[in-house]
């Protein structure tokens, strides 16, 4: 069965839904390229730069960049020249305001570490800019409130880029749910696995400090909670959770035969014995971005994953209650043998199962793949299971990044019936689940989302079928 068959009705439903009015969407009106500044020019920043200097150069121009690290600013300038673009004017982070005043941009792209987003988002909004931010929108309830208030004060939305929505096979899942194929979704089982290549990397970088990243519940799971919020077109209301760090610990280093944790890989005296050793110098990209510039800010990209000062969890279990009555059972594990996820939607007419083994999940030979291995199937309550041919795309994050970049920068991009362009309401609805989970880890008590912030509106979401019709009757026994 092709998803298109099931999805046609969903598209019509979605077309009828209200259009998302999200700041950052380029206007087709003037024809002149929109002028952007970007704060934070590390790894993720490059996706936006490459889009602006490449496929979207007719529509967008990067006029200014801002960062705490002068070396990375200089590197970004050299990359612009290599791409044949005019190098953007570089500003120190302390001169952010001067950058806005001098360059008078149309838009701001925020690609700094998570805890710093709020400051730039609010200053951008107050300066009258269209603000586009990377996920997670922010890291705690007070910062979420500050963004909600700044949006209201300025009568603007912030665009929060949830690229996971745009992966063709996840968009397909949304269309299948909207088609009513499995009826009303009563519960969701969602399990995300990070392996010891990508997963371990969170424990080396700034992400390992909860005050900076919000922990994996916020930094990473914001993608996943947003997917469920959007897949269901619903709002989370309650969160129960438990979390612990049991793998990336000094004790585990000793169990692996090391004398204990070290400070960083570069100076480690046991690098030949540690299978988590990262050689920054051997990777030209990491060397140019981080190793060559670490004397300027003291940031080490290769901290020991066994350090005692790590303050994030590696094992997390969460139960979320939704306004519409659906319940979500979610887990995140950061030391797994492969990387990817299983999600299952239990509906009144059947079950939708969707799983992805990510191509980057290199730990287990049996699971090794040169591209994402996607499996989607519908098991009707009464009937034969149907294998769905997955929609595919090319490029970063399952092909989602390219679709999202067109949605951001291309004024001719068609209206999106799936309303994948998210704003601060969806950004908050997602990061608040992780923020609530972090609170549960400490208090062991259920958290109500409504107790975390005030004035959070419901995001624009595609309309689901009003009801799924009769539930299949039980099979009559002779
Ligand atoms: N959507 C995705 O799939 C995805 C993937 C990777 C990263 N991200 C997000 O992108 C953001 C950046 O992550 P990254 O991996 O590029 O990190 P990074 O460490 O590679 O880069 C961060 C940059 O910000 C700069 N910086 C730090 N503090 C600053 C401050 N106060 N003001 C200005 N600049 C500052 C650093 O010097 C560095 O150049 C994060 O919010 C992260 O969650 C999203």
């Amino acid at each position: 069965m092709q998803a298109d068959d099931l999805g046609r009705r969903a598209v019509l439903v979605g077309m009828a839904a209200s259009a998302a009015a999200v700041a950052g969407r380029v206007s087709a009106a003037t024809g002149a390229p929109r002028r952007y500044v970007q704060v934070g020019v590390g790894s993720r920043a490059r996706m936006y730069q490459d889009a602006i200097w490449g496929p979207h150069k007719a529509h967008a121009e990067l006029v200014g960049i801002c960062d705490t690290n002068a070396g990375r600013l200089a590197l970004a300038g050299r990359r612009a020249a290599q791409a044949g673009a005019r190098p953007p004017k570089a500003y120190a982070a302390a001169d952010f305001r001067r950058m806005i005043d001098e360059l008078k941009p149309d838009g701001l792209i925020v690609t700094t570490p998570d805890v710093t987003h709020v400051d730039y988002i609010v200053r951008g909004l107050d300066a009258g800019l269209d603000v586009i931010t990377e996920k997670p929108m922010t890291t705690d309830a007070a910062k979420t409130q500050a963004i909600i208030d700044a949006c209201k004060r300025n009568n603007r939305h912030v665009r929060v880029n949830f690229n996971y929505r745009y992966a063709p096979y996840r968009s397909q899942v949304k269309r299948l749910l909207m088609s009513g194929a499995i009826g009303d979704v009563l519960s969701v089982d969602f399990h995300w696995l990070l392996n010891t290549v990508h997963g371990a990397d969170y424990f080396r970088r700034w992400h390992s400090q909860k005050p900076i990243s919000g922990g994996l519940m916020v930094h990473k799971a914001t993608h996943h909670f947003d997917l469920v919020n959007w897949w269901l077109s619903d709002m989370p209301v309650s969160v129960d959770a438990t979390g612990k760090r049991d793998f990336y610990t000094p004790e585990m280093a000793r169990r692996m035969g090391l004398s204990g944790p070290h400070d960083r890989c570069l100076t480690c005296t046991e690098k030949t014995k540690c299978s988590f050793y990262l050689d920054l110098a051997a990777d030209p990209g990491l060397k140019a971005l981080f190793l060559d510039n670490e004397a300027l800010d003291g940031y080490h990209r290769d901290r020991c994953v066994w350090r005692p000062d790590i303050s994030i969890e590696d094992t997390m279990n969460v139960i979320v209650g939704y306004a519409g009555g659906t319940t979500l059972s979610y887990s995140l594990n950061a030391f797994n043998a492969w990387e990817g996820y299983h999600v299952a939607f239990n509906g009144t007419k059947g079950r939708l199962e969707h799983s992805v083994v990510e191509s980057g999940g290199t730990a287990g030979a049996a699971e090794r793949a040169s591209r994402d291995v996607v499996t989607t199937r519908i098991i009707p309550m009464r009937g034969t299971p149907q294998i769905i041919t997955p929609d595919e795309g090319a490029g970063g994050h399952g092909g989602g990044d390219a679709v999202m970049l067109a949605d951001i920068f291309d004024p001719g991009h068609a209206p999106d019936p799936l309303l994948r362009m998210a704003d601060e309401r969806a950004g908050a609805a997602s990061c608040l689940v992780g923020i609530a989970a972090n609170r549960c880890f400490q208090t062991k008590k259920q958290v109500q989302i409504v107790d975390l912030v005030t004035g959070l509106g419901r995001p624009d979401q595609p309309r689901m079928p009003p009801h799924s019709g009769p539930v299949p009757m039980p099979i009559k026994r002779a």
Side-chain angles (χ1 to χ4, degrees):
M1 169 184 273
Q2 295 294 321
D4 279 357
D5 302 335
L6 285 169
R8 193 168 295 119
R9 187 159 68 92
V11 170
L12 293 174
V13 172
M15 290 293 258
S18 64
V22 181
R25 185 84 191 239
V26 288
S27 161
T30 65
R34 282 179 72 82
R35 302 171 70 255
Y36 290 93
V37 292
Q38 182 176 44
V39 60
V41 291
S43 311
R44 185 63 174 164
R46 294 178 167 199
M47 180 194 73
Y48 298 91
Q49 294 163 1
D50 292 345
I52 292 174
W53 298 333
H56 298 290
K57 62 184 170 199
H59 313 301
E61 189 183 358
L62 189 62
V63 293
I65 49 175
C66 178
D67 200 291
T68 44
N69 188 298
R72 279 192 282 280
L73 284 169
L75 180 61
R78 292 196 294 276
R79 289 185 72 249
Q82 281 161 11
R86 183 164 1 133
K89 196 163 175 199
Y91 293 82
D95 293 327
F96 176 79
R97 180 71 228 185
R98 187 163 65 80
M99 173 173 76
I100 305 295
D101 290 344
E102 284 181 5
L103 301 179
K104 298 182 177 43
D106 303 305
L108 164 68
I109 302 170
V110 180
T111 42
T112 52
D114 308 342
V115 71
T116 65
H117 291 181
V118 61
D119 182 41
Y120 293 117
I121 290 172
V122 170
R123 289 162 79 189
L125 286 168
D126 286 342
L129 305 184
D130 287 343
V131 179
I132 299 171
T133 185
E134 260 304 335
K135 52 51 61 177
M137 188 172 82
T138 189
T139 51
D140 67 30
K143 294 182 181 65
T144 310
Q145 188 70 62
I147 294 170
I148 293 170
D149 293 347
C151 286
K152 293 206 162 126
R153 182 165 71 240
N154 291 289
N155 197 24
R156 278 175 181 271
H157 290 298
V158 172
R159 179 178 175 137
V160 183
N161 281 341
F162 285 121
N163 49 326
Y164 280 31
R165 293 182 178 194
Y166 289 84
Y169 44 77
R170 297 197 194 103
S171 297
Q172 182 181 36
V173 167
K174 175 65 178 164
R175 283 194 293 274
L176 290 167
L177 293 169
M178 288 167 68
S179 76
I182 61 161
D184 303 328
V185 178
L186 303 186
S187 67
V188 182
D189 306 317
F190 194 4
H191 305 290
W192 199 286
L193 292 70
L194 298 167
N195 67 10
T196 52
V197 179
H198 179 227
D201 222 24
Y202 293 110
F203 296 80
R204 297 188 179 103
R205 300 177 281 162
W206 51 260
H207 312 63
S208 66
Q209 301 303 312
K210 203 177 240 196
I212 303 179
S213 68
L216 292 178
M217 275 290 96
V218 172
H219 175 82
K220 186 67 186 172
T222 190
H223 277 305
H224 314 151
F225 297 136
D226 174 69
L227 279 176
V228 179
N229 298 347
W230 172 71
W231 271 329
L232 297 176
S233 289
D234 208 345
M235 284 290 272
V237 291
S238 66
V239 177
D240 289 279
T242 180
K244 58 182 182 172
R245 177 165 56 92
D246 265 357
F247 186 81
Y248 297 101
T249 62
E251 167 60 13
M252 198 58 69
R254 287 185 274 273
R255 282 172 64 177
M256 290 195 178
L258 305 173
S259 63
H262 292 266
D263 176 44
R264 62 179 301 199
C265 292
L266 189 74
T267 54
C268 183
T269 52
E270 296 186 288
K271 54 182 76 164
T272 54
K273 284 166 73 180
C274 182
S275 63
F276 288 73
Y277 169 67
L278 173 70
D279 186 355
L280 277 185
D283 182 316
L286 291 181
K287 179 177 179 301
L289 258 179
F290 298 106
L291 187 60
D292 291 351
N293 297 313
E294 63 181 37
L296 294 169
D297 60 7
Y299 174 61
H300 296 165
R301 167 72 177 73
D302 62 346
R303 300 292 310 281
C304 179
V305 298
W306 315 117
R307 285 163 14 251
D309 62 282
I310 290 172
S311 57
I312 64 171
E313 296 78 15
D314 57 28
T315 307
M316 293 138 276
N317 298 78
V318 185
I319 294 176
V320 183
Y322 277 83
T326 309
T327 43
L328 163 69
S329 170
Y330 168 86
S331 71
L332 179 59
N333 179 294
F335 54 91
N336 227 280
W338 61 276
E339 182 143 325
Y341 63 91
H342 293 297
V343 62
F345 301 84
N346 303 304
T348 51
K349 292 182 174 174
R351 177 173 159 103
L352 192 164
E353 294 178 348
H354 169 65
S355 58
V356 176
V357 179
E358 292 193 351
S359 54
T362 53
E367 302 285 0
R368 191 168 299 150
S370 59
R371 55 188 305 168
D372 293 355
V373 178
V374 182
T375 313
T376 307
R377 64 177 191 153
I378 288 178
I379 306 105
M381 197 172 277
R382 313 273 178 243
T384 313
Q386 298 156 347
I387 306 293
I388 307 294
T389 307
D391 288 349
E392 292 181 3
H397 293 104
D401 285 350
V403 186
M404 181 185 77
L405 288 163
D407 206 2
I408 299 171
F409 293 121
D410 183 354
H413 197 68
D416 181 8
L418 298 181
L419 304 182
R420 288 172 292 192
M421 187 186 284
D423 67 16
E424 76 288 348
R425 296 167 295 178
S430 148
C431 72
L432 286 172
V433 177
I435 290 163
N438 279 334
R439 197 171 282 194
C440 291
F441 294 170
Q442 293 188 323
T443 64
K444 316 285 180 211
K445 292 194 178 123
Q446 187 177 78
V447 174
Q448 305 299 316
I449 298 291
V450 73
D451 292 338
L452 297 178
V453 291
T454 57
L456 173 60
R458 192 172 177 129
D460 297 323
Q461 294 168 320
R463 212 175 299 143
M464 299 297 268
H467 61 78
S468 65
V471 174
M473 295 300 289
I475 297 167
K476 284 206 176 89
R477 299 195 185 282

